[in-house]
């Protein structure tokens, strides 16, 4: 994920995002790419000194120069979408982990990305809060958003994804439709991983 959004430089191969080749040596191309790619991190990464609304409004205001009134309307709509319309004026430390992660999702959507990268977005959450975050992500998938998720939530991956890639120690071992991978794993690594879940 960090390669796709340009945070890491890769050593071999090529990568294209939204049909555009990823070129680390071209700052203008990287800036354009980052406007197309939203990122949700494991640890929320909200700005603690900004209220929820300001966290969502910050990037489109800075990067796109969107007018204040438009920013507020869009932030309200996005917070409504993630079930937090009433939390506009709250600060991150007043929210549960699940609520903070839903604000982070709203913030990523504020830039209207074509692709949303989700990096273990539930691993920092208490088990009872995982469902509320996955529910939002499932809604985005249903609405046609392209999502690329790194996750250990296998039930969710099986239910929502149209393609699963199983990686072990930095290498791709299997990929395909979830029904195939979960029903008939081909490699010992995936067989062992799936058996360890039961």
């Amino acid at each position: 994920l960090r390669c796709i959004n340009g945070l890491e430089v890769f050593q071999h191969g090529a990568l294209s995002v939204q049909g555009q080749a990823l070129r680390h040596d071209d700052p203008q191309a990287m800036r354009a790419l980052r406007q197309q790619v939203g990122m949700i991190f494991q640890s929320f990464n909200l700005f603690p000194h900004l209220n929820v609304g300001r966290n969502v409004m910050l990037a489109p205001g800075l990067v796109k120069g969107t007018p204040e009134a438009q920013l507020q309307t869009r932030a309200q709509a996005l917070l409504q979408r993630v079930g937090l319309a009433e939390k506009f004026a709250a600060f991150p430390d007043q929210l549960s982990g699940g609520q903070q992660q839903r604000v982070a999702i709203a913030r990523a959507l504020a830039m209207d990305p074509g692709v949303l990268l989700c990096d273990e977005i539930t691993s920092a959450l208490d088990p009872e809060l995982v469902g509320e975050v996955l529910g939002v992500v499932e809604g985005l998938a249903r609405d046609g958003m392209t999502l690329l998720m790194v996750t250990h939530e296998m039930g969710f991956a099986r239910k929502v994804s149209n393609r699963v890639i199983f990686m072990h120690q930095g290498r791709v071992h299997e990929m395909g439709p979830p029904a195939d991978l979960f029903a008939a794993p081909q490699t010992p690594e995936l067989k062992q991983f799936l058996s360890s879940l039961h």
Side-chain angles (χ1 to χ4, degrees):
L1 296 185
R2 291 173 64 82
C3 287
I4 292 169
N5 73 0
L7 293 175
E8 295 280 346
V9 178
F10 49 90
Q11 286 75 38
H12 304 286
L15 188 55
S16 66
V17 180
Q18 301 277 85
Q20 298 295 311
L22 194 149
R23 299 196 315 275
H24 283 286
D25 56 345
D26 182 342
Q28 203 170 349
M30 292 307 292
R31 184 177 164 85
L33 166 92
R34 287 195 181 105
Q35 290 188 37
Q36 287 292 305
V37 178
M39 181 90 181
I40 307 166
F41 297 91
Q42 190 171 353
S43 53
F44 325 137
N45 289 355
L46 298 177
F47 293 106
H49 64 291
L50 297 178
N51 69 22
V52 164
R54 290 275 160 212
N55 262 284
V56 175
M57 294 161 61
L58 184 66
L62 287 175
V63 177
K64 295 183 173 181
T66 308
E68 180 77 10
Q70 207 175 318
L71 287 172
Q72 283 198 5
T73 304
R74 176 84 168 126
Q76 275 303 161
L78 289 169
L79 289 169
Q80 175 92 42
R81 185 173 189 182
V82 299
L84 294 171
E86 76 290 354
K87 298 292 187 185
F88 190 95
F91 282 84
D93 66 358
Q94 298 171 306
L95 305 178
S96 72
Q99 289 172 326
Q100 289 185 58
Q101 192 60 291
R102 286 187 284 151
V103 172
I105 293 170
R107 181 182 61 183
L109 293 173
M111 288 292 289
D112 294 312
V115 179
L116 201 52
L117 308 178
C118 304
D119 183 13
E120 290 280 8
I121 60 172
T122 57
S123 65
L125 299 178
D126 293 332
E128 67 272 16
L129 301 177
V130 169
E132 69 186 54
V133 172
L134 292 182
V136 170
V137 175
E138 187 175 352
L140 294 174
R142 246 193 333 267
D143 294 344
M145 169 68 73
T146 300
L147 298 157
L148 199 59
M149 292 188 72
V150 173
T151 186
H152 286 88
E153 299 286 343
M154 290 302 103
F156 181 77
R158 184 178 205 157
K159 177 180 172 188
V160 175
S161 61
N162 57 3
R163 185 160 72 131
V164 173
I165 299 173
F166 173 72
M167 296 182 73
H168 178 68
Q169 296 184 337
R171 298 206 175 276
V172 172
H173 283 259
E174 293 193 44
M175 69 173 93
D180 296 353
L181 260 72
F182 287 102
Q186 300 298 306
T187 61
E189 291 83 2
L190 182 53
K191 286 176 186 169
Q192 181 181 350
F193 178 73
L194 292 175
S195 69
S196 74
L197 298 176
H198 304 301

